[in-house]
Amino acid sequence: MLQTRHIRYFLAVGEELNFHRAAERLHVSQPALWRQIRDLEDEVGVKLLERMPRGISLTPAGETFLEECRDLLNHMETSCARARRVAQGLVGTLHIACNDVASRRRELPRFLKAFREAHPEISIQLHGLMSQQQVTALRNGSIDAGFLCRYVGERTEFEYLRIGQDNFVLAIPRDHPLTRRTSIRLADLAGEPLILPNPSYNSAIYDRLLDSFHKGGLVPQITQHADTEATVLNMVTARMGLAFLTSSFRTTVISGAVLRPISDLSIPVDMDMVWRKENDNPALRHFIEFVEALSGETDHEDLMLESDMG
């Protein structure tokens, strides 16, 4: 059977055209080298070398085979090097998910841009998934890591790294009377049509909002449900009701709506990067280390909610 050593031995003999020099180059004896070349010729089925009075020469078949051997060894060396880089996490693919909140924060593009510059041979595939969908995807291994919201104090089955924190504020049509209030409480929303997250996809925030309403003495008039905050914002702008958005929308240009804090509403959420401890993708460790190093350098934005936006 043709083996790698046959290729290396023939390459040395074909380049040196001298068994003595080739044997010294390979650190083997001349008789052993000669036996390997004869085995190679038997395996290939053609004569590769001609013995000459003053040395050896390549047959036409040998010349062709020599070039093929060079290409083969180069390919093998490249493949071995790439395999080592994959094992070291320097080459590969990462599947990363982000929810609506994460996708509009400034941290995520900073992380991705810096990581791509440092590790150009790692492909990042981005997936837009809501937090609960990310949990399912992490469990079944279809994503390596996700950026999602976790309510402060909420336990998680995954490893996580805190990126930032958010809270909920009230989104109001720009010409609504509540925009003129210096302070807004939950009780002030009595009788107002409210747009709440779809409990099928956002059960955690839905339940927390209802609990906050109860504690604040508000009997909510829920008229709409929406799957995403972008949809919620469009509904508010269309004057279909008031809604609750994460305060990170302050960084978004909003047309026809303003955001206001509610003095007796506090549902803090952590923006986390999460992953399974058992994930064996070697590229993931590099990504985690990168995000951990950069997360402390996040730009501090103006948190004022009272100024008009849009």
Side-chain angles (χ1 to χ4, degrees):
M1 181 180 295
L2 190 63
Q3 298 182 14
T4 304
R5 71 170 182 275
H6 292 125
I7 303 299
R8 295 188 184 278
Y9 287 0
F10 179 72
L11 190 61
V13 172
E15 290 177 345
E16 298 292 345
L17 291 178
N18 182 288
F19 268 94
H20 176 71
R21 291 196 299 270
E24 287 186 338
R25 171 173 158 180
L26 295 167
H27 304 291
V28 297
S29 68
Q30 290 188 57
L33 177 58
W34 178 242
R35 287 194 299 271
Q36 292 294 328
I37 296 301
R38 282 191 304 179
D39 290 344
L40 174 61
E41 289 180 323
D42 290 341
E43 183 69 29
V44 176
V46 296
K47 195 172 185 179
L48 302 173
L49 297 173
E50 290 281 6
R51 282 187 175 274
M52 308 294 289
R54 295 185 179 179
I56 58 174
S57 65
L58 292 167
T59 65
E63 291 178 355
T64 298
F65 192 64
L66 182 66
E67 292 303 318
E68 295 292 340
C69 287
R70 287 196 182 103
D71 293 342
L72 179 60
L73 285 179
N74 286 336
H75 180 72
M76 290 178 61
E77 290 171 0
T78 300
S79 298
C80 290
R82 184 172 180 82
R84 287 190 290 268
R85 289 177 63 78
V86 169
Q88 294 165 0
L90 302 176
V91 177
T93 300
L94 283 171
H95 290 271
I96 307 295
C98 60
N99 64 3
D100 279 354
V101 179
S103 65
R104 66 172 174 265
R105 293 180 67 101
R106 291 186 178 181
E107 295 95 331
L108 188 60
R110 289 177 62 248
F111 297 155
L112 297 178
K113 180 176 182 294
F115 186 77
R116 287 285 294 160
E117 290 174 351
H119 297 281
E121 294 184 274
I122 297 177
S123 170
I124 295 182
Q125 303 295 318
L126 283 178
H127 306 270
L129 298 174
M130 285 183 273
S131 295
Q132 289 177 227
Q133 293 174 315
Q134 290 187 43
V135 170
T136 300
L138 284 165
R139 286 173 178 162
N140 64 32
S142 57
I143 63 173
D144 294 295
F147 290 87
L148 52 74
C149 294
R150 185 174 61 90
Y151 298 94
V152 174
E154 182 182 19
R155 299 186 65 179
T156 176
E157 64 194 86
F158 307 113
E159 301 291 306
Y160 69 92
L161 176 65
R162 183 177 178 273
I163 305 302
Q165 193 173 86
D166 231 322
N167 212 317
F168 284 85
V169 292
L170 184 67
I172 319 170
R174 188 173 292 278
D175 58 357
H176 194 283
L178 283 175
T179 61
R180 296 188 288 273
R181 294 277 189 96
T182 57
S183 177
I184 302 175
R185 299 180 60 83
L186 285 170
D188 298 328
L189 308 183
E192 294 285 353
L194 298 180
I195 305 165
L196 262 59
N198 187 335
S200 298
Y201 298 109
N202 296 285
S203 59
I205 180 56
Y206 185 87
D207 292 342
R208 282 169 171 76
L209 283 171
L210 292 184
D211 184 60
S212 296
F213 296 160
H214 176 73
K215 292 177 180 177
L218 171 65
V219 178
Q221 182 180 324
I222 303 170
T223 59
Q224 300 278 346
H225 292 104
D227 293 346
T228 68
E229 289 193 318
T231 302
V232 168
L233 183 60
N234 287 331
M235 288 181 171
V236 173
T237 301
R239 295 171 175 75
M240 297 173 66
L242 312 185
F244 301 89
L245 298 174
T246 50
S247 56
S248 60
F249 254 108
R250 65 183 176 270
T251 64
T252 307
V253 175
I254 301 176
S255 177
V258 294
L259 304 184
R260 294 291 185 267
I262 298 180
S263 59
D264 56 346
L265 176 70
S266 179
I267 310 177
V269 292
D270 282 342
M271 173 55 59
D272 290 341
M273 184 180 80
V274 298
W275 65 93
R276 285 190 308 118
K277 185 177 182 179
E278 300 81 11
N279 189 305
D280 59 0
N281 186 341
L284 178 60
R285 177 51 52 188
H286 292 296
F287 188 71
I288 294 169
E289 291 172 353
F290 230 85
V291 172
E292 187 172 21
L294 290 176
S295 60
E297 301 175 9
T298 302
D299 295 333
H300 294 284
E301 302 169 17
D302 182 8
L303 304 186
M304 295 297 292
L305 296 174
E306 295 301 324
S307 60
D308 287 345
M309 291 171 287

